[in-house]
Amino acid sequence: MSNQIQQKTILFTIGRAGYPVTRCIQIAKLLASHRILFAASEKQTLVLQKLDQQGFAPLSYVSKADLKKLLQEYEPDVVISDGGDTDIDEGKLLSSLVPITLHFDDFGEGGKAATRVVQSLYHEDREPVPSHYVVGPSAFIVPDELEPYANSGLKQAPALPLPHVVVTFADEDADNLSYRTLRHLLHLQIPLAITVALHSSYPHSRDDLKLMALGRKQTRIVDCDDPIQLISESDLVICDASYTPYYVAVIGKPCIVIAEDEREAQHAFPKEANGFIYLGLGRKLKQSHLQNAVMETILHPNRSVRAIKKQLSLKLAMNNTNMQRFLEKIIQEEAREITK
């Protein structure tokens, strides 16, 4: 069979900014032998901007009816949907118009109509998972910019004379855990260097954080949508329970995880078995629990080393190669089923 016959048209539909856009761009690179298209709702301005900045020419749509027209016009062989929970009507729409539909981190009813659903933000196994769902750490796609830092956590010497704590909560940080965490850290009676990284969509007062940081040397507030380098330079990371722990585990760093909301609190990956200290919901976090976790990490380096080894034993840096094979297999196998 020639490459021309094997080549498929793959359309990515992206539901929100942040890691889902990064993941779709990375998957597109893995599937570069195919014809690649991107689409997003007109409301997702950050998604469209990111795709434009990366040199893609994304398609946009206003409503589901517009999405349907778009699918009918471009006739993709594969749709990869990321960044949102689809409802059953949307799931059926996609599957009725497109031979192969792959959904990433879709917890909506629409996933039931998909060819495959791939969950990196998987939950504890309380109920049987449908057979076409693929769950686990292997679903995390490693961005190109993260690869140079892979497995470096045990090799790097401290960048600062004091233990460096990096605080980074993704996206909007609705409950302002950045502020609460810094306040708790500043009450510790041990010398620390602290960096609080704020996402561009952080909606709270930056001045309040900066004013609080003035009272402590080696404390800084920075604007940063991509905390990879900061994580690599840290001695301890305090972060959300969404995608950031995956970045940490690729590098290998001691990490305290605080869930930003109830949805994040269900995520099974950033737990002790995988090398994390999990403190539960941020709005219920007690100062003493966070301070004890920080002290335990700073004062017991052997425990930190064991935690890092747990993270690195997951071998997340191999995920892209494995995912590329998996996706190509699905595309080709499903294509053969369709042509029978």
Side-chain angles (χ1 to χ4, degrees), residues 109-260:
E109 292 294 306
K112 294 178 179 178
T115 307
R116 291 286 190 282
V117 178
V118 183
Q119 309 283 45
S120 56
L121 299 179
Y122 59 98
H123 297 168
E124 299 286 355
D125 293 332
R126 293 173 184 160
E127 298 178 4
V129 177
S131 60
H132 68 293
Y133 280 60
V134 180
V135 302
S138 61
F140 178 76
I141 301 296
V142 180
D144 280 344
E145 56 269 29
L146 181 56
E147 285 188 358
Y149 300 95
N151 305 315
S152 63
L154 290 177
K155 303 172 186 176
Q156 292 180 334
L160 296 174
L162 297 177
H164 183 200
V165 180
V166 169
V167 178
T168 174
F169 289 95
D171 302 326
E172 294 187 357
D173 186 10
D175 282 343
N176 207 358
L177 300 183
S178 301
Y179 182 92
R180 295 184 63 187
T181 300
L182 178 60
R183 186 182 63 200
H184 294 337
L185 291 176
L186 293 181
H187 281 94
L188 275 169
Q189 299 303 310
I190 59 173
L192 295 172
I194 303 170
T195 299
V196 180
L198 302 179
H199 195 272
S200 58
S201 58
Y202 178 77
H204 312 287
S205 170
R206 285 165 164 77
D207 290 338
D208 290 345
L209 274 162
K210 291 176 180 178
L211 184 62
M212 186 164 52
L214 287 176
R216 184 84 170 247
K217 292 181 180 180
Q218 299 278 6
T219 300
R220 59 180 180 148
I221 313 300
V222 300
D223 293 319
C224 180
D225 282 357
D226 184 2
I228 292 172
Q229 185 171 348
L230 284 175
I231 291 171
S232 74
E233 296 170 350
S234 71
D235 298 295
L236 170 64
V237 179
I238 302 176
C239 69
D240 56 86
S242 185
Y243 294 109
T244 309
Y246 278 107
Y247 284 75
V248 173
V250 171
I251 297 170
K253 290 289 179 177
C255 185
I256 296 170
V257 175
I258 304 169
E260 294 183 293

Side-chain angles (χ1 to χ4, degrees), residues 273-286:
N274 291 326
F276 298 91
I277 299 174
Y278 177 66
L279 297 184
L281 267 173
R283 61 181 175 80
K284 296 182 179 181
L285 180 66
K286 293 183 179 180

Side-chain angles (χ1 to χ4, degrees), residues 81-135:
S81 176
D82 198 344
D85 296 342
T86 58
D87 58 36
I88 190 63
D89 290 338
E90 187 173 356
K92 288 181 177 179
L93 170 66
L94 292 175
S95 62
S96 68
L97 295 174
V98 184
I100 304 167
T101 55
L102 302 169
H103 296 201
F104 279 78
D105 287 329
D106 183 354
F107 290 92
E109 292 294 306
K112 294 178 179 178
T115 307
R116 291 286 190 282
V117 178
V118 183
Q119 309 283 45
S120 56
L121 299 179
Y122 59 98
H123 297 168
E124 299 286 355
D125 293 332
R126 293 173 184 160
E127 298 178 4
V129 177
S131 60
H132 68 293
Y133 280 60
V134 180
V135 302

